[in-house]
């Protein structure tokens, strides 16, 4: 069976723009992860990044750091998360991507992590602090064995040479970080970001791209969707989910915010 991420992008109609959401597993409640995923799918989101809570999330702003702290307090860990994902595996059709830092994954064991991903219906992973050499030498061979996609990030600081190298050596899609700063909602993307988007577009990369970090309203969503295959929203949805404690309500508020 083809990897769900590849299948999703391969079958994408030309005018279709994807929307992916990130949330932190185990927040707001330890037991709610499966319900949040099923609700997000039912509401028409294309794929989901499931955040692995970690005590020192370097790339994340205060909203996601706070969610990770709460999830850890609630008792979330990889073993619990995989058990929860396994329970809903047969109910979820859209791709699930694990998003987390290297430390908990190394602690769990890379091979064990990849096997658990397959056993629980996960299609890929994003590991922001994974050095590219370690990806190529250690992680990629194991991920390939389990038909998992390792999604790499690029930022406005990433050199053109490096971007081409990532494009040649990865599969699935490229996560295009809108700015060189941490995660968090932004009101608009300025001229420098727009120029960065245009520059990457002109490179004609092999892999599709998704733009994330800072998307929270109509302007940032449209800008991302006009310059890539779609947009990834994290902090805004995490904030709404924490406030309402209800995924349907959080999604109602998110869709409303994205119209303004």
């Amino acid at each position: 069976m083809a990897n769900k991420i590849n299948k999703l992008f391969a079958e994408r109609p030309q005018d279709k723009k994807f929307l992916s959401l990130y949330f932190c597993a185990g927040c707001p409640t330890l037991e709610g992860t499966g319900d949040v995923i099923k609700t997000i799918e039912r509401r028409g989101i294309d794929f989901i990044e499931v955040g692995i809570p970690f005590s020192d999330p370097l790339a994340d702003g205060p909203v996601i750091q706070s969610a990770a702290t709460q999830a850890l307090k609630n008792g979330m860990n990889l073993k619990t998360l995989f058990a929860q994902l396994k329970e809903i595996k047969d109910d979820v059709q859209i791709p699930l991507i694990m998003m987390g830092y290297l430390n908990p994954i190394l602690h769990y064991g890379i091979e064990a992590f990849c096997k658990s991903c397959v056993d629980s219906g996960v299609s890929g992973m994003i590991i922001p602090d994974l050095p590219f050499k370690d990806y190529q030498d250690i992680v990629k061979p194991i991920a390939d064995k389990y038909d998992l996609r390792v999604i790499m990030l690029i930022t406005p600081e990433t050199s053109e040479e490096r971007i081409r190298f990532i494009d040649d050596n990865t599969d699935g899609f490229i996560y295009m970080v809108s700015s060189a700063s941490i995660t968090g909602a932004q009101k608009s993307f300025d001229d420098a970001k727009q120029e960065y988007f245009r520059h990457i577009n002109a490179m004609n990369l092999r892999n599709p791209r998704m733009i994330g970090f800072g998307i929270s309203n109509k302007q940032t969503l449209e800008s991302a969707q006009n310059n890539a295959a779609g947009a990834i929203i994290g902090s805004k949805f995490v904030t709404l989910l924490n406030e309402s404690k209800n995924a349907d309500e959080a999604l109602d508020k998110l869709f409303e915010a994205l119209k303004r």
Side-chain angles (χ1 to χ4, degrees), residues 49-231:
E49 287 175 23
V50 182
I52 304 164
F54 180 49
S55 54
D56 191 20
L58 299 173
D60 293 311
V63 169
I64 292 175
Q65 282 192 21
S66 167
T69 302
Q70 186 58 54
L72 292 170
K73 272 189 197 153
N74 289 347
M76 180 52 82
N77 57 41
L78 271 175
K79 193 178 170 191
T80 302
L81 175 54
F82 280 129
Q84 290 180 351
L85 294 177
K86 208 169 183 177
E87 271 179 34
I88 60 163
K89 179 182 177 180
D90 296 336
D91 304 328
V92 177
Q93 304 310 313
I94 62 173
L96 300 180
I97 298 171
M98 296 289 258
M99 169 85 159
Y101 292 87
L102 192 54
N103 188 297
I105 296 170
L106 286 177
H107 191 69
Y108 192 87
I110 290 169
E111 179 111 23
F113 179 81
C114 289
K115 186 177 187 311
S116 292
C117 281
V118 173
D119 290 346
S120 52
V122 171
S123 299
M125 64 196 84
I126 300 169
I127 310 171
D129 58 342
L130 173 64
F132 202 82
K133 185 157 179 13
D134 290 351
Y135 157 71
Q136 280 192 297
D137 296 348
I138 301 162
V139 179
K140 187 177 187 298
I142 300 170
D144 286 352
K145 180 173 130 183
Y146 289 94
D147 195 31
L148 294 165
R149 301 292 168 264
V150 183
I151 308 303
M152 302 301 278
L153 291 84
I154 62 170
T155 77
E157 320 267 277
T158 312
S159 70
E160 192 162 317
E161 183 188 17
R162 173 81 164 192
I163 293 168
R164 297 245 180 243
F165 193 65
I166 288 171
D167 191 41
D168 288 342
N169 290 279
T170 62
D171 190 20
F173 68 93
I174 290 173
Y175 190 133
M176 202 170 147
V177 176
S178 67
S179 65
S181 64
I182 54 172
T183 57
Q186 295 172 29
K187 286 193 171 62
S188 65
F189 289 145
D190 60 21
D191 290 346
K193 291 189 181 74
Q194 301 284 359
E195 180 50 44
Y196 158 61
F197 297 160
R198 283 193 290 272
H199 175 69
I200 303 299
N201 267 334
M203 288 179 71
N204 292 317
L205 300 175
R206 179 179 62 87
N207 279 298
R209 300 169 321 284
M210 294 286 291
I211 295 177
F213 283 46
I215 296 164
S216 63
N217 58 18
K218 188 178 181 190
Q219 196 274 350
T220 47
L221 176 69
E222 285 183 351
S223 181
Q225 292 186 326
N226 289 340
N227 287 284

